[in-house]
């Protein structure tokens, strides 16, 4: 089990290293695409499909599609804020807005 975690950690570190190399080389489009590689999404969908079946996976994928605008809000906030604020504050602001909008979305969906 711990070897499995080590392999996953190394794979994640390798992806981050490639993103940093691409960014330093001025390949921002490639770095931006790699940042969005859906590794966690892919693993989550795989385990949902294998443990709960294709119908439950279909429901989760649909919920992911419906909540995509919330992710776009996060990206939009970071994009605008990083021009005016320190990048750490911009990221924190983006996550905060994502959490607020996501919470409102869940309140609306589950009411």
């Amino acid at each position: 089990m711990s070897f499995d975690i080590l392999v996953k950690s190394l794979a994640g570190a390798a992806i981050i290293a490639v993103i940093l190399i691409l960014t330093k080389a001025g390949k921002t489009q490639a770095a931006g695409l790699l940042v969005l590689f859906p590794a966690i999404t892919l693993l989550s969908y795989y385990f949902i499909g294998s443990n709960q079946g294709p119908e439950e996976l279909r429901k989760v994928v649909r919920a992911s599609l419906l909540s995509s605008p919330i992710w776009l809000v996060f990206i939009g906030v970071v994009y605008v804020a990083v021009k005016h604020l320190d990048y750490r504050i911009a990221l924190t602001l983006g996550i905060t807005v994502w959490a607020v909008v996501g919470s409102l979305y869940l309140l609306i969906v589950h009411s």
Side-chain angles (χ1 to χ4, degrees):
M1 182 77 153
S2 61
F3 180 73
D4 185 47
I5 293 171
L6 177 64
V7 169
K8 290 175 184 172
S9 298
L10 291 174
I15 290 172
I16 291 170
V18 170
I19 290 167
L20 292 173
I21 291 166
L22 288 169
T23 302
K24 270 191 169 182
K27 308 283 187 195
T28 55
Q29 294 296 325
L33 180 62
L34 194 54
V35 163
L36 297 178
F37 178 73
I40 293 173
T41 305
L42 180 64
L43 288 171
S44 299
Y45 287 172
Y46 173 80
F47 288 117
I48 291 167
S50 64
N51 292 322
Q52 298 176 19
E55 189 55 37
E56 194 62 30
L57 175 58
R58 187 172 176 275
K59 290 177 187 176
V60 171
V61 170
R62 182 178 184 274
S64 297
L65 284 169
L66 293 174
S67 63
S68 293
I70 299 164
W71 177 83
L72 291 172
V73 167
F74 163 73
I75 293 295
V77 167
V78 172
Y79 179 77
V80 171
V82 80
K83 184 176 181 179
H84 306 286
L85 303 169
D86 178 80
Y87 73 94
R88 293 167 290 215
I89 295 171
L91 291 171
T92 302
L93 182 60
I95 287 296
T96 302
V97 172
W98 175 86
V100 169
V101 173
S103 297
L104 292 172
Y105 168 77
L106 291 174
L107 285 172
I108 292 167
V109 168
H110 293 294
S111 62

